[in-house]
Amino acid sequence: MSERHLYGGLEFSPTTRIRLSPFWPGVQAAGVSTASIYNHVLFPCVFRSLEEDYRHLKNHVQLWDVSCQRQVELSGPDAALLARMIAPRDISALDVGQCCYVPAVDRGGKLLNDPVLIKLAEDRFWFSVADSDLILFASGVAAGAGLAVRVHEPDVSPLAIQGPKAEQLMRGMFGEEISGLKFFRGRYIEFDGKNHLVTRSGYSKQGGFEIYVEGAEHGMPIWNALMQAGAEFQLRAGGPNYIERVEGGLLSYGGDITSEHTPYEGGLEAYCDAEAAFDCLGRDALLRELESGPKRQIRCLTFAGGKVPPCDHRWELSVNGRFAGQVSAAVWSPELGLNIGIGMVESEFWDAGSELCAELPGESRTVTVQAEFFN
Amino acid sequence: MSERHLYGGLEFSPTTRIRLSPFWPGVQAAGVSTASIYNHVLFPCVFRSLEEDYRHLKNHVQLWDVSCQRQVELSGPDAALLARMIAPRDISALDVGQCCYVPAVDRGGKLLNDPVLIKLAEDRFWFSVADSDLILFASGVAAGAGLAVRVHEPDVSPLAIQGPKAEQLMRGMFGEEISGLKFFRGRYIEFDGKNHLVTRSGYSKQGGFEIYVEGAEHGMPIWNALMQAGAEFQLRAGGPNYIERVEGGLLSYGGDITSEHTPYEGGLEAYCDAEAAFDCLGRDALLRELESGPKRQIRCLTFAGGKVPPCDHRWELSVNGRFAGQVSAAVWSPELGLNIGIGMVESEFWDAGSELCAELPGESRTVTVQAEFFN
């Protein structure tokens, strides 16, 4: 059981509106304890405890049900054009099998999602999406502009294998070719006569892979095979770990960055090249923002005092009573021996070393802006 | 606590990715017990128990936090055009202040959402949306077609007042004008110097109103005032009630009807007029479906045997081993003394009186197709 928070102790109402992952029997058997809903899919988060899962992830290897990371498939003559209309960077040089992190934007340059774009063929792409219905934007643009493209969600459920022993496990199961995979590159593996894309990627800084399992009926056979092969590496079921992702500065769309923010405010300038993105619907807005510069930006934060409570809502930041931003994530890092967090901080206060005041439930805390995240 | 189901006993992970309603302090104080996530908002469902809430709703009046029913605002010169591109019915004759149930479709005629469209002015509309990011479709169409329209989500949080005593409560609080409101018509009321739209509407068959609270800071003052004024009517906090909505055949988007279905499959032909919807992007596809007729359709079902378990995933329907459809909702109705449900049934088997076989967890049940829902 997690610490009490604003919605701790509540049960999930049963409904067919929430989609169940093909891996759910495995997730349940592994003893999931907390979950969320992400892209209308029930999403397992914590198994033993946040800290126990964290230590295990950093030392061994974990199997994550990330089937909530849905694929938006674009296929047909205008598939590449539609991808370029959404992506604010030059994706024309992508190889087939290559992945690319894309801060998807609307025509106002605001973030709609921060998916990984995977080029499957010259006329076939997947946006592997964070928590918003990017499929609706893609099909809206296609319909509005009259593009020759099919937009749909295929029956694909990603499974992540993350942690320092992920390499050994995957090599043992799928052979040496897997070791040759570079970061953000993919290739197909065969399992039980069916091909599935594997990429070197995942929402952790511990290294690993994602298997895009095609066909729900293949879900549990692959899950079980990995569980069995992983026993010698102390494999456990896990989920994207809140402590590890905050240490590494991995953002959560909808939490740290939202539809109110631009990619520059999200600190995602390395993944934007508005100049070169001629077809991007948000290009003009992004070029304007590039000129004026963002007025607020994502920062790594540290908190004074003892263990912070669960960050179940945004905490306001201020300096001498003036609004300085908002904390969107905060947690105690056992390895750093520090409270760390993520915040959107106003430009006036965002320099490394700045001290801000955060309004936590029932108390104020001193927060220090850091130059960068921890790994 | 609810009966055990596939995700019973799990806790919600704390995250700022889930948005908190302005009414949450009131919801918590009222003792919410189960919740869901709907349009990225934490959504209170059950307070005492499904059956206790149900009996109370049918006899008294309830206050529901339905702030998860977000508004997608279209404003500007092309606002009406954009609304017409999404809606498969003639909305040109809508009065200002009038509401209209709209099965929103993509260019393939598939359901994207089933919102209520509210006309606020000739150039300003709200889609009051079910659980999908319809805002992304609207802004995609606007960007793709180069429309002169602003698409945004205003700071509006609906509160529903539902039940047979809703009329008395609202008249006492806001005066006689409220009694004059016809179904699906709205007018502004003033509360603490601020105007809020009130419509006669809501997701129950017990009658009532929705207040579109503008400005989160007005949320708790209105909640508290209603709670106080409602004491003499036995007002309680509640939520859309699963038993009551299945009895009445109120559909849930994402559960009973999804992006794989057309409005005709959803049994929503009364809310479609593809012939007259000249600007609708899905018009051609809908006209084709109208000609061929749907191959499956929503039906009211009854189940033999004792109380059905929670319907936490779709149950397959068959006849002599042939696929006959899926059950998307099922529950025991204490008033009817019957197990009732909602299913998408293949045309071959959809006639009233047909007997089908449903695969429940660990057992098969005989299901009978009904001619209509119960009220």
Side-chain angles (χ1 to χ4, degrees):
Chain A
M1 286 294 155
S2 60
E3 279 180 85
R4 274 294 165 271
H5 54 88
L6 275 175
Y7 32 97
L10 286 181
E11 296 240 348
F12 284 83
S13 286
T15 166
T16 55
R17 188 176 46 75
I18 304 178
R19 300 185 283 181
L20 278 180
S21 149
F23 313 116
W24 195 254
V27 165
Q28 258 200 317
V32 60
S33 65
T34 87
S36 194
I37 298 172
Y38 194 102
N39 284 326
H40 315 282
V41 179
L42 192 63
F43 167 41
C45 299
V46 174
F47 285 75
R48 299 195 182 192
S49 76
L50 204 53
E51 294 199 6
E52 215 181 319
D53 288 2
Y54 161 86
R55 288 182 211 278
H56 180 268
L57 170 63
K58 288 199 155 184
N59 288 295
H60 303 289
V61 54
Q62 291 185 348
L63 189 56
W64 298 355
D65 167 8
V66 286
S67 59
C68 65
Q69 186 185 304
R70 306 305 298 164
Q71 311 311 303
V72 178
E73 179 166 326
L74 316 181
S75 56
D78 287 335
L81 172 60
L82 179 53
R84 292 199 305 273
M85 290 169 87
I86 295 171
R89 59 189 296 190
D90 183 7
I91 55 172
S92 59
L94 276 188
D95 295 327
V96 169
Q98 193 174 353
C99 312
C100 176
Y101 178 71
V102 165
V105 291
D106 65 14
R107 65 175 168 174
K110 299 295 170 114
L111 284 164
L112 300 175
N113 202 295
D114 67 329
V116 171
L117 178 67
I118 308 172
K119 181 172 178 174
L120 298 168
E122 293 302 329
D123 62 352
R124 189 165 161 251
F125 297 82
W126 281 346
F127 281 111
S128 192
V129 299
D131 185 31
S132 78
D133 299 327
L134 188 65
I135 192 169
L136 294 186
F137 187 74
S139 72
V141 171
L147 302 185
V149 59
R150 180 179 180 223
V151 178
H152 81 290
E153 185 187 288
D155 177 12
V156 170
S157 299
L159 201 49
I161 296 94
Q162 301 284 303
K165 299 180 185 168
E167 178 87 29
Q168 286 167 274
L169 168 60
M170 290 291 282
R171 193 168 52 223
M173 268 195 79
F174 300 112
E176 288 295 329
E177 297 89 338
I178 286 297
S179 292
L181 262 187
K182 290 187 186 145
F183 184 67
F184 261 35
R185 294 277 175 162
R187 59 176 294 140
Y188 279 88
I189 53 107
E190 200 197 297
F191 183 89
D192 263 357
K194 171 85 181 164
N195 289 327
H196 308 277
L197 181 71
V198 173
T199 58
R200 192 184 285 271
S201 57
Y203 193 70
S204 88
K205 293 275 179 105
Q206 306 308 311
F209 300 86
E210 288 174 293
I211 306 177
Y212 291 79
V213 178
E214 295 202 37
E217 70 279 14
H218 296 282
M220 280 312 297
I222 294 187
W223 175 280
N224 287 332
L226 283 161
M227 273 293 181
Q228 205 175 341
E232 60 172 309
F233 306 111
Q234 288 77 51
L235 177 74
R236 279 192 204 157
N241 188 276
Y242 192 90
I243 307 171
E244 200 268 350
R245 76 112 179 149
V246 174
E247 287 177 354
L250 294 173
L251 304 183
S252 170
Y253 181 77
D256 307 310
I257 48 175
T258 74
S259 60
E260 292 181 9
H261 303 126
T262 66
Y264 304 117
E265 292 177 334
L268 305 174
E269 53 282 354
Y271 308 100
C272 271
D273 184 3
E275 274 292 354
F278 294 103
D279 293 314
C280 178
L281 293 162
R283 184 170 186 260
D284 291 348
L286 290 176
L287 289 175
R288 279 195 301 275
E289 164 123 348
L290 205 50
E291 204 160 309
S292 64
K295 288 175 184 55
R296 52 188 178 174
Q297 201 168 52
I298 284 291
R299 284 293 182 272
C300 177
L301 308 173
T302 55
F303 297 72
K307 230 171 161 171
V308 288
C311 186
D312 50 17
H313 68 285
R314 291 186 183 80
W315 300 333
E316 193 164 309
L317 293 167
S318 64
V319 173
N320 298 326
R322 286 169 56 209
F323 179 78
Q326 286 185 317
V327 176
S328 55
V331 72
W332 172 259
S333 161
E335 230 167 64
L336 299 169
L338 264 178
N339 288 304
I340 56 174
I342 300 176
M344 185 64 75
V345 182
E346 300 293 306
S347 61
E348 208 177 330
F349 307 106
W350 71 21
D351 289 342
S354 294
E355 295 206 333
L356 318 173
C357 174
E359 286 309 312
L360 275 62
E363 54 162 335
S364 297
R365 289 274 188 116
T366 299
V367 161
T368 307
V369 176
Q370 302 298 313
E372 47 192 18
F373 285 95
F374 292 93
N375 47 57
Chain B
M1 286 295 151
S2 60
E3 279 181 85
R4 274 294 165 272
H5 54 87
L6 275 175
Y7 32 97
L10 286 181
E11 296 241 348
F12 285 83
S13 286
T15 166
T16 56
R17 189 175 46 76
I18 305 178
R19 300 185 283 181
L20 278 181
S21 149
F23 313 115
W24 196 254
V27 165
Q28 258 200 316
V32 60
S33 66
T34 87
S36 194
I37 298 172
Y38 194 102
N39 284 325
H40 316 282
V41 179
L42 193 62
F43 166 41
C45 299
V46 174
F47 286 74
R48 300 196 181 191
S49 77
L50 204 53
E51 294 198 6
E52 216 181 319
D53 288 2
Y54 161 86
R55 288 182 212 277
H56 180 267
L57 170 64
K58 287 198 154 184
N59 288 295
H60 304 288
V61 54
Q62 291 186 347
L63 188 56
W64 298 355
D65 167 8
V66 286
S67 60
C68 65
Q69 186 183 306
R70 306 306 297 165
Q71 310 312 302
V72 177
E73 179 167 327
L74 316 181
S75 56
D78 287 334
L81 172 60
L82 180 53
R84 292 198 306 272
M85 290 170 87
I86 295 171
R89 60 189 295 190
D90 183 8
I91 54 173
S92 59
L94 276 188
D95 295 326
V96 168
Q98 192 174 353
C99 312
C100 176
Y101 179 70
V102 165
V105 290
D106 65 15
R107 65 174 168 173
K110 300 293 171 116
L111 284 164
L112 301 174
N113 201 295
D114 67 330
V116 170
L117 177 67
I118 308 170
K119 182 172 176 173
L120 298 168
E122 293 302 330
D123 62 352
R124 189 164 163 252
F125 297 82
W126 281 347
F127 281 112
S128 192
V129 299
D131 185 30
S132 78
D133 298 327
L134 187 65
I135 191 169
L136 294 185
F137 187 74
S139 72
V141 171
L147 302 185
V149 59
R150 179 178 180 225
V151 178
H152 82 290
E153 185 187 288
D155 177 12
V156 170
S157 299
L159 201 50
I161 296 93
Q162 301 285 302
K165 299 180 185 168
E167 177 88 28
Q168 286 167 275
L169 168 60
M170 291 290 282
R171 192 168 51 223
M173 268 195 79
F174 301 111
E176 288 295 329
E177 297 89 338
I178 286 297
S179 291
L181 262 186
K182 289 188 186 145
F183 184 66
F184 261 35
R185 294 278 175 161
R187 58 176 295 141
Y188 280 88
I189 53 106
E190 199 196 297
F191 184 87
D192 264 357
K194 170 85 182 164
N195 289 327
H196 308 277
L197 181 70
V198 173
T199 58
R200 192 185 286 270
S201 57
Y203 192 71
S204 88
K205 293 274 178 105
Q206 306 309 311
F209 301 85
E210 288 174 292
I211 306 177
Y212 291 79
V213 178
E214 295 202 37
E217 71 278 14
H218 296 283
M220 281 310 298
I222 294 186
W223 175 281
N224 287 332
L226 283 160
M227 274 292 181
Q228 206 175 342
E232 60 172 308
F233 306 111
Q234 288 79 50
L235 177 75
R236 280 192 203 156
N241 187 276
Y242 192 91
I243 308 171
E244 199 269 349
R245 75 113 179 147
V246 174
E247 287 177 354
L250 294 173
L251 303 184
S252 169
Y253 181 77
D256 307 311
I257 48 174
T258 74
S259 60
E260 292 181 9
H261 303 127
T262 66
Y264 304 117
E265 291 177 334
L268 305 174
E269 54 281 354
Y271 309 100
C272 272
D273 184 2
E275 274 292 354
F278 294 103
D279 293 313
C280 178
L281 292 162
R283 184 171 186 259
D284 291 349
L286 291 176
L287 288 175
R288 279 194 301 275
E289 163 122 349
L290 205 49
E291 204 160 307
S292 63
K295 289 175 183 52
R296 50 189 179 175
Q297 202 169 51
I298 284 290
R299 284 294 181 273
C300 177
L301 308 173
T302 56
F303 297 72
K307 231 173 162 172
V308 288
C311 187
D312 50 16
H313 67 286
R314 291 185 182 81
W315 301 334
E316 193 164 310
L317 293 167
S318 64
V319 173
N320 298 325
R322 286 169 57 208
F323 179 78
Q326 286 185 316
V327 176
S328 55
V331 72
W332 173 259
S333 161
E335 230 168 63
L336 299 169
L338 263 179
N339 287 304
I340 55 173
I342 301 176
M344 184 64 75
V345 182
E346 300 294 307
S347 61
E348 208 176 330
F349 307 106
W350 72 21
D351 289 343
S354 294
E355 294 206 334
L356 319 173
C357 174
E359 285 309 311
L360 275 63
E363 55 163 334
S364 297
R365 289 273 189 117
T366 300
V367 160
T368 307
V369 176
Q370 302 298 312
E372 48 191 19
F373 286 94
F374 291 92
N375 47 57

